Amino acid sequence: MCNVIILGSPGGGKGTICKKLLKNFEFTHVSTGDLLRSHISGQTTLGLKAEKYINEGKLVPDDLVIGLIQQLKTDKSLLLDGFPRTLHQAFSLGNVMTIDSVIALDIPHETIINRLSNRWVHAPSGRTYANDYNPPKVSGIDDVTGEKLTQREDDKPDTIRTRLENYQKQTAPLIEYYKNNTNVHFQIFSGTESDVIYPEVADFLHSRFAV
Ligand code: AP5
Ligand code: MG
């Protein structure tokens, strides 16, 4: 098992890079954001607790998210998108599995604010579109199901700012944590274009292992 973490600011392209990686590598993709949103739309107990944090741009409390990860069952390597996001989550993860590599995406915040206000999603599947970067074939409609696209509640400009501030305070310390962990292969990928960053990420993973 070669478990990989994708770390990066909200809207930094984690989901976009993961989608590309899944075409070339055998991973189980785990986005805690997507899992939480499916709990919210299913109105589960967890979803009802998580919703207000997400809509306010705050992190969901550690115990709720860690519980979600502990329920995962897969025999493939994991591609962890958006988990861990606090040092406490990272310590808990270290107790249940080995992490082989950490990919840290470093994208300027101005780029992120523009992108997120332009993002449309197909909520049931988590498929993401941007009007300029990867527009749907028909405006406002999901390519696969023909269903309507929506905007995420937390993609409002004020909430995006709160998410970025919380990222700096709570998640950015993970960069130093993994950089200093000699058992983990860590690399930062900087830039503004996922299409330019992706081949570098793929080379890094190919050089690490064949999955
Ligand atoms: P989550 O869903 O993970 O949101 P996030 O981290 O804020 O990141 P996003 O999914 O918004 O962005 P992304 O990095 O995937 O970027 P994307 O590829 O879409 O989490 C949501 C919430 O859930 C959190 O705020 C928190 O409340 C809670 N949560 C989740 N995990 C948690 C945890 N572990 N602990 C506690 N709480 C947790 O790209 C962004 C946009 O850019 C897209 O529109 C895309 O199409 C576009 N784009 C990508 N590349 C390009 C390009 N080259 N040019 C132009 N546009 C591009
Ligand atoms: Mg995402």
Side-chain angles (χ1 to χ4, degrees):
M1 298 283 263
C2 291
N3 299 313
V4 173
I5 294 171
I6 307 258
L7 197 63
S9 311
K14 300 183 292 296
T16 304
I17 295 287
C18 286
K19 197 168 132 194
K20 291 174 190 280
L21 285 173
L22 292 174
K23 292 190 182 150
N24 295 303
F25 295 85
E26 284 287 318
F27 280 117
T28 297
H29 176 220
V30 180
S31 156
T32 40
D34 288 347
L35 287 174
L36 290 165
R37 280 185 290 277
S38 80
H39 275 271
I40 292 172
S41 58
Q43 300 214 304
T44 65
T45 314
L46 169 60
L48 293 172
K49 284 185 192 163
E51 188 169 17
K52 74 174 167 55
Y53 295 99
I54 294 186
N55 289 350
E56 288 173 10
K58 294 178 183 159
L59 290 188
V60 172
D62 283 341
D63 55 333
L64 298 181
V65 190
I66 290 167
L68 203 59
I69 291 293
Q70 283 168 341
Q71 287 162 18
L72 282 176
K73 289 192 178 59
T74 174
D75 44 16
K76 280 202 253 173
S77 299
L78 292 179
L79 183 58
L80 291 166
D81 163 358
F83 186 90
R85 260 183 231 231
T86 63
L87 283 170
H88 181 64
Q89 292 179 15
F91 301 151
S92 302
L93 185 65
N95 290 333
V96 293
M97 69 181 75
T98 306
I99 299 301
D100 182 89
S101 305
V102 174
I103 291 162
L105 303 178
D106 174 27
I107 315 294
H109 283 188
E110 315 84 77
T111 308
I112 288 174
I113 294 170
N114 288 337
R115 277 184 191 177
L116 290 186
S117 28
N118 208 4
R119 172 166 70 177
W120 289 84
V121 291
H122 177 247
S125 66
R127 267 185 295 282
T128 299
Y129 301 87
N131 292 340
D132 47 357
Y133 172 62
N134 59 337
K137 290 183 187 126
V138 179
S139 174
I141 301 292
D142 178 46
D143 289 351
V144 179
T145 62
E147 290 167 341
K148 273 197 169 169
L149 300 176
T150 51
Q151 285 203 288
R152 271 170 48 175
E153 192 60 32
D154 59 347
D155 279 348
K156 292 177 184 152
D158 280 353
T159 319
I160 297 170
R161 278 189 201 95
T162 310
R163 284 161 65 197
L164 288 169
E165 281 163 23
N166 287 338
Y167 172 81
Q168 257 349 97
K169 278 189 249 163
Q170 295 173 277
T171 309
L174 292 180
I175 293 173
E176 282 304 303
Y177 173 71
Y178 283 118
K179 205 197 261 179
N180 296 330
N181 183 330
T182 49
N183 296 320
V184 168
H185 298 88
F186 174 92
Q187 192 157 323
I188 296 181
F189 297 87
S190 305
T192 55
E193 292 295 326
S194 301
D195 293 346
V196 176
I197 293 172
Y198 174 70
E200 297 169 13
V201 173
D203 281 353
F204 170 69
L205 286 187
H206 278 303
S207 74
R208 284 294 313 126
F209 45 79
V211 267

